[in-house]
Amino acid sequence: MNVLSDAFVSSPVLDVQGLSKVFTGSSEQTPVLSGLNFQAWPGEFICITGQSGCGKSTLLKLLAGFIPPTAGRILFKGKSITGPGPDRCVVFQEDALFPWLTVAENIGFGLKGKALSAAEKQSRVNRFLDLVGLTEFKDYLPGEISGGMKQRVALARILVLSPEVLLMDEPFAALDARTREQMQNLLLSLWEQLKQTIIFVTHDVREAVTLSDRTMVMGRITGEAIITPIHLVPIPLERPRIQSSREFMELAAQINSPNK
Amino acid sequence: MYRILPWILPATALCGWGLASNLGWVPPYLLPSPGDILDTAGIYIFGTDGQGPYAGRFARDTLASLFRVGLGFGLATVCGLILGVWSGRVPAVARLLNTPVNGLRAVPGITWLPLAMVWFGIGLKTTVFLVALAAFFPIYLNAASGAAQVNPLLLQAGAMMGVDRIRGTFAILLPAAMPAIVTGLRLGLGISWAYLVLGELSGVPDGLGAVIMDARMLGRIDMIVVGIILIALMGQASDWLLKNALKFCFTSAARQI
Ligand SMILES: Nc1ncnc2c1ncn2[C@@H]1O[C@H](COP(=O)(O)OP(=O)(O)O)[C@@H](O)[C@H]1O
Ligand SMILES: [Mg+2]
């Protein structure tokens, strides 16, 4: 790759600068993130891991624009984020599909307000139904399909909007091992075709090493206003990655104890 | 066997009633026999003017009653849904409305009758007022709890897909609250019939409730029973109609109830 031209075209898609979040309850304050800095580059796949309660979901909600930061800012393509939008879409851990809409209608939901012809909308829906392998199930309701299929619908309904950033909060955590592996492969193949930037939260270190270009390990803040410790571990392995390979295991071990 | 289960009790009651009448256990001036009731109903529904005071009045009475129920229930639906959904979503509105609503709800509807008669006189307005007032509460309360319990993830999902407030309300909030809304509307319609009769007992010339009151004064027990049965049937029919109309009009109702 040409280093010069790379530096020329690339500016970060997401630029997190001194990001802090304190939840203010009626009686107490919960500091969750403090002075967090990192960048995500176009087409990059970043996984975020860390102990439960270290603020991974909070970070994702901040990136999505669901909640405002207490201090610092998040730039999306150079502009401060002010709220949620279809350029940064979230796949939630839980099922957040509209239960009264069929699979196809759920996927077409975000296109409703768009200035596209009905035929164009239909063909986009069909394309993404096909990409996630749910064409046969397009007329089913969310209550009638499995958890893995639901997450595929959740993925398709945002991919159809061509978001530049995909935010995924433990999207496969509730799935059984086989389905999870299928979903990982599906996600990787979609990402290779569509090249969005993906921020993917997982507590599963193997999943992080399997998927990401870089894995961000978040630490817990103890006491008040300590800079949120993070380690960014590059994963320089070719895909598809072999979980039993030595490099894979070494990287997993490094993520598990990043201070060593 | 399972299919006839719902009919066992009514059929037994009917047999017992017929038996009691035929064996003379109850005198006809307390409870006429099923056959007499059927005759009276026939004359009431299909009869012509010569056949007594109630002959052929069914259509007129039913239309009058339906009109009053429709107006009162419609009014309650409009107010109950708007205020209910609003208070379910906006805590300040809930705080503002909940105290007066709960206060008024504690007052039995029948106690409004004297006041309503003073305010609105005898007739349409009083009946519509009573029906609307009674139907408002279940509609309001169910809409409020339905709207409050909508999964916030659904609204967040909408926001991230670029859905604005108005579309969010009509394309996400209301469909998600639809099962609760339907429950409220059905309860409201049921109670509408109860308060219709109360309003019509106050002395209007037509309507199913008025017929019952009139029949009491003429000592026509058979006509009273016919009135009761017809109101029960109308209540059932209107509930069925409401449920299916909602299912027909809203996919969110069709697919969630
Ligand atoms: N809305 C909120 N109000 C108060 N505290 C919150 C809120 N959301 C999260 N927290 C707290 O912030 C911390 C981090 O939560 P979260 O981001 O969900 O962690 P993770 O996803 O890494 O498990 C937890 O201690 C949690 O209790
Ligand atoms: Mg979490």
Side-chain angles (χ1 to χ4, degrees):
Chain A
M1 227 187 272
N2 185 324
V3 176
L4 227 176
S5 75
D6 222 16
F8 186 68
V9 285
S10 289
S11 52
V13 182
L14 286 170
D15 191 355
V16 175
Q17 302 178 343
L19 185 68
S20 298
K21 183 67 191 177
V22 180
F23 286 109
T24 312
S26 49
S27 57
E28 83 285 287
Q29 298 213 320
T30 319
V32 178
L33 300 175
S34 165
L36 183 67
N37 294 298
F38 75 94
Q39 281 96 37
W41 303 93
E44 193 177 24
F45 199 139
I46 296 183
C47 280
I48 301 179
T49 70
Q51 294 163 321
S52 167
C54 70
K56 303 181 295 291
S57 296
T58 304
L59 174 57
L60 224 62
K61 284 179 197 154
L62 286 159
L63 294 173
F66 291 142
I67 53 176
T70 309
R73 56 184 192 162
I74 303 166
L75 301 182
F76 171 69
K77 299 205 294 182
K79 288 212 189 80
S80 236
I81 286 174
T82 53
D87 41 21
R88 288 160 285 116
C89 278
V90 185
V91 177
F92 301 96
Q93 174 175 355
E94 307 153 59
D95 167 26
L97 301 176
F98 303 118
W100 60 91
L101 297 180
T102 63
V103 165
E105 288 165 346
N106 264 288
I107 296 175
F109 186 87
L111 293 175
K112 280 262 175 62
K114 299 226 158 156
L116 294 171
S117 70
E120 168 67 18
K121 286 178 190 175
Q122 192 56 54
S123 86
R124 279 212 209 179
V125 169
N126 289 341
R127 173 167 171 237
F128 283 93
L129 271 170
D130 185 43
L131 276 177
V132 297
L134 286 176
T135 305
E136 276 175 68
F137 294 91
K138 69 184 172 68
D139 294 325
Y140 283 60
L141 291 174
E144 301 165 341
I145 58 178
S146 71
M149 291 182 189
K150 283 184 197 170
Q151 288 305 67
R152 282 192 260 166
V153 179
L155 197 56
R157 78 166 171 185
I158 61 177
L159 290 178
V160 77
L161 301 174
S162 336
E164 276 158 277
V165 177
L166 279 188
L167 304 166
M168 309 182 76
D169 192 358
E170 309 200 26
F172 310 147
L175 308 179
D176 62 82
R178 261 184 74 89
T179 314
R180 189 180 318 142
E181 203 184 310
Q182 286 169 0
M183 291 298 291
Q184 290 169 356
N185 293 335
L186 174 71
L187 180 63
L188 281 175
S189 88
L190 288 172
W191 173 68
E192 271 152 24
Q193 290 172 66
L194 304 169
K195 278 294 169 205
Q196 318 86 346
T197 305
I198 300 183
I199 313 279
F200 186 106
V201 170
T202 173
H203 59 249
D204 178 354
V205 172
R206 298 174 73 82
E207 189 170 46
V209 179
T210 305
L211 295 174
S212 72
D213 295 323
R214 286 191 293 161
T215 290
M216 184 168 127
V217 189
M218 285 174 62
R220 196 196 278 278
I221 356 179
T222 45
E224 265 180 51
I226 299 168
I227 307 286
T228 304
I230 61 161
H231 296 270
L232 273 159
V233 181
I235 317 286
L237 303 179
E238 290 290 321
R239 295 184 178 89
R241 292 167 178 168
I242 310 208
Q243 301 211 342
S244 55
S245 75
R246 218 193 66 192
E247 298 93 326
F248 188 103
M249 292 195 197
E250 278 172 4
L251 282 164
Q254 192 187 341
I255 289 167
N256 269 327
S257 46
N259 292 318
K260 282 175 194 158
Chain B
M1 181 62 203
Y2 204 72
R3 303 206 29 197
I4 61 168
L5 224 46
W7 305 106
I8 289 182
L9 288 180
T12 312
L14 198 63
C15 290
W17 174 18
L19 213 63
S21 294
N22 282 334
L23 296 179
W25 292 345
V26 284
Y29 63 84
L30 286 186
L31 187 63
S33 73
D36 290 348
I37 297 295
L38 213 59
D39 289 346
T40 306
I43 292 173
Y44 179 57
I45 298 174
F46 304 110
T48 46
D49 271 352
Q51 294 175 283
Y54 302 110
R57 272 187 53 179
F58 171 74
R60 204 183 87 198
D61 287 329
T62 305
L63 277 180
S65 290
L66 274 177
F67 182 64
R68 292 174 189 133
V69 165
L71 218 57
F73 176 69
L75 216 61
T77 300
V78 172
C79 300
L81 286 187
I82 293 176
L83 293 178
V85 170
W86 200 22
S87 91
R89 293 311 303 176
V90 186
V93 175
R95 265 184 87 82
L96 179 75
L97 291 180
N98 281 353
T99 308
V101 166
N102 285 329
L104 288 178
R105 197 163 62 100
V107 181
I110 195 166
T111 43
W112 288 98
L113 182 61
L115 195 59
M117 284 169 67
V118 174
W119 284 351
F120 302 114
I122 289 168
L124 180 68
K125 286 190 208 157
T126 293
T127 313
V128 169
F129 171 77
L130 290 173
V131 168
L133 189 72
F136 172 79
F137 295 107
I139 297 175
Y140 170 88
L141 292 170
N142 280 282
S145 80
Q149 282 162 22
V150 167
N151 182 356
L153 278 185
L154 297 185
L155 298 168
Q156 285 190 346
M160 86 184 176
M161 289 191 276
V163 170
D164 62 26
R165 239 188 135 72
I166 294 179
R167 190 169 165 234
T169 304
F170 288 97
I172 302 176
L173 182 61
L174 292 181
M178 187 56 83
I181 289 175
V182 172
T183 302
L185 289 177
R186 291 178 68 184
L187 288 171
L189 186 57
I191 211 164
S192 289
W193 283 99
Y195 280 83
L196 168 86
V197 174
L198 178 65
E200 288 183 344
L201 290 183
S202 64
V204 290
D206 50 12
L208 293 170
V211 164
I212 293 178
M213 200 57 184
D214 198 63
R216 187 192 73 90
M217 297 209 258
L218 295 186
R220 288 284 304 273
I221 308 296
D222 54 338
M223 195 54 227
I224 296 180
V225 176
V226 168
I228 291 174
I229 293 172
L230 284 176
I231 286 172
L233 291 177
M234 294 299 291
Q236 287 286 312
S238 63
D239 179 61
W240 183 89
L241 216 66
L242 175 72
K243 192 175 102 184
N244 286 285
L246 287 166
K247 284 183 155 195
F248 181 76
C249 293
F250 303 104
T251 37
S252 58
R255 290 172 181 169
Q256 291 183 104
I257 53 178

